[in-house]
Amino acid sequence: VGANTTLAQIIKLIDEAQGQKAPIQRFADTISGYFVPTVIAIALITFISWTLFFGKPISFALITAVAVLVIACPCALALATPIASLIGVSWLAREGILFKEAKFIETFAKADTIVFDKTGTLTKPDENKIEFIGTSLNRKEMNSLSILSSQSTHPLSQALARHFPCSEEALILGFVEVSGRGIFAKVNNVDFKIGSGEYVSSPEQDIQESGSMVHVSIDNVYKGYFVISNRYRDGFSHVINNLARSFTLYLLSGDRDTERMRLEKFFDSGKMLFNQKPIEKMEFIQDLQKNGANVLMTGDGLNDSGAFIESDVALSLADDIYHFSPAGDAILEARRFDQLDKYIQFARKSLSIVKVSFAISILYNIVGLSFAITGNLSPVVAAILMPISSISVVAFATFSTGILGRKLK
């Protein structure tokens, strides 16, 4: 309710985006800050030069100086970057990727290294094969496990909750979830622990299964584990193969390496790390950055929060809008995952349009000032040409980005 609703969170994202500026926009603002005093100085130098060094009448020198002031257009500089960025972000939003702050489209475009989480990111959390191995669980125990699982947004917990829907209510006390490790709580006065083998104190650490495992302990007695086999997202192989051409790819997973052989078709063996705790993921991102990498972290947005914070830009996938969490810098609808490579290329081309728009505005000012300084431009003509520069920059950014956007369809 209230500020926790999906709508309220989206509104918060929009408000934050409107209040943020991209690094390239801050650069443009810095240039604009020097623009006015520089133009005034040029106008004064022009006036003095024509009167003292070239012997022209004061009226001619004054008209020339006024033309310099009129033709110079800080508006073109100020509009070039935000207009192009805004249109780029708008096109991406239409295609299912929402940026939390305006600045992240630039860092998104500059990424050269992509780090993927596995469970819930590369795999589909709503399509799993689930099998329990261990001491049989009775109906009440399964119902309690289902209730606890349904309270977590972790993909494996959600898979259990869907596969074993609860049939009756229960009293839950002391519910605690340790990010990426598991849950413990007292249900109907019975202690439950579900999660990783280390967290649940599994006695069988050498288990080898072809899937992710969720271990179960009831009243401090180890019961066994669920084996959850994954199905990878539609377009997974297409996206990874395309991204591998332009990016360095890594896989970080908190699961065991039971699917290593399958994933070696897409990732270099040395670039896949399994059994990773949240703190280890975060430290791995830091190590990449120390070596000069611009890191895009792609994960589920909750259990990868440490790695998200450390990465240059973080992309979270949203499967379930009711468990929507704005943990990342950008949020992608999971059904659009197969378009990820296109979105990154679009962001890169949008950034190029921003730079070209900025160059056009600078070129206009250089050419306009050159004509005005030499006395070949009257203030009236300058007043007509000045707004044309702003219109041309806006038009170029609008149509260029629009053409790119239509190619996303």
Side-chain angles (χ1 to χ4, degrees), residues 116-124 209-212 228-233 235-241 244 249-275 337:
F116 288 98
D117 177 45
K118 182 173 75 71
T119 305
T121 304
L122 299 181
T123 61
K124 300 181 74 171
E209 296 285 355
S210 58
S212 302
I228 303 177
S229 301
N230 299 309
R231 178 179 174 185
Y232 287 84
R233 292 190 183 278
F236 160 71
S237 59
H238 165 79
V239 169
I240 299 300
N241 288 331
L249 304 183
Y250 290 90
L251 176 70
L252 289 183
S253 177
D255 299 335
R256 300 168 70 92
D257 62 351
T258 52
E259 298 194 26
R260 175 183 289 274
M261 291 184 62
R262 180 177 182 182
L263 291 169
E264 282 179 347
K265 299 176 183 177
F266 308 101
F267 298 90
D268 292 342
S269 181
K271 294 177 180 177
M272 294 189 293
L273 286 82
F274 297 89
N275 295 309
F337 175 73

Side-chain angles (χ1 to χ4, degrees), residues 8 77 234 240 302 318:
L77 287 173
D234 296 335
I240 299 300
L302 283 176

Side-chain angles (χ1 to χ4, degrees), residues 28-255:
D29 290 346
T30 301
I31 296 297
S32 298
Y34 293 104
F35 187 87
V36 173
T38 300
V39 170
I40 292 175
I42 291 173
L44 287 173
I45 293 172
T46 300
F47 178 81
I48 294 171
S49 298
W50 280 117
T51 53
L52 295 182
F53 300 109
F54 296 101
K56 292 290 184 179
I58 292 178
S59 59
F60 175 83
L62 183 61
I63 289 174
T64 303
V66 170
V68 169
L69 293 174
V70 174
I71 194 63
C73 184
C75 299
L77 287 173
L79 288 173
T81 301
I83 289 294
S85 298
L86 176 62
I87 296 171
V89 169
S90 299
W91 273 104
L92 288 172
R94 295 177 195 175
E95 294 300 308
I97 180 169
L98 176 66
F99 283 87
K100 186 177 181 181
E101 299 176 11
K103 66 180 182 181
F104 289 117
I105 190 172
E106 181 177 349
T107 50
F108 188 66
K110 289 182 176 180
D112 54 31
T113 302
I114 303 179
V115 178
F116 288 98
D117 177 45
K118 182 173 75 71
T119 305
T121 304
L122 299 181
T123 61
K124 300 181 74 171
D126 55 346
E127 296 184 23
N128 305 98
K129 176 184 176 183
I130 299 178
E131 179 184 7
F132 183 74
I133 298 175
T135 305
S136 297
L137 302 174
N138 60 41
R139 180 181 57 81
K140 286 187 177 181
E141 290 171 336
M142 284 304 308
N143 186 73
S144 298
L145 288 173
S146 177
I147 291 175
L148 290 180
S149 298
S150 67
Q151 305 308 305
S152 169
T153 56
H154 191 282
L156 295 180
S157 296
Q158 286 297 299
L160 287 176
R162 280 189 299 270
H163 197 76
F164 303 104
C166 57
S167 56
E168 56 189 76
E169 296 180 353
L171 177 63
I172 300 178
L173 298 175
F175 179 92
V176 176
E177 180 172 10
V178 180
S179 179
R181 309 312 293 164
I183 300 169
F184 67 84
K186 189 180 289 290
V187 184
N188 292 333
N189 209 35
V190 177
D191 290 319
F192 281 82
K193 270 190 178 183
I194 57 175
S196 66
E198 176 188 12
Y199 181 78
V200 178
S201 301
S202 163
E204 304 176 77
Q205 295 297 323
D206 58 345
I207 302 169
Q208 296 294 327
E209 296 285 355
S210 58
S212 302
M213 292 184 291
V214 177
H215 297 262
V216 178
S217 170
I218 301 176
D219 270 340
N220 296 316
V221 177
Y222 181 73
K223 293 289 187 178
Y225 56 92
F226 292 96
V227 180
I228 303 177
S229 301
N230 299 309
R231 178 179 174 185
Y232 287 84
R233 292 190 183 278
D234 296 335
F236 160 71
S237 59
H238 165 79
V239 169
I240 299 300
N241 288 331
N242 282 348
L243 291 175
R245 299 170 186 167
S246 307
F247 298 88
T248 303
L249 304 183
Y250 290 90
L251 176 70
L252 289 183
S253 177
D255 299 335

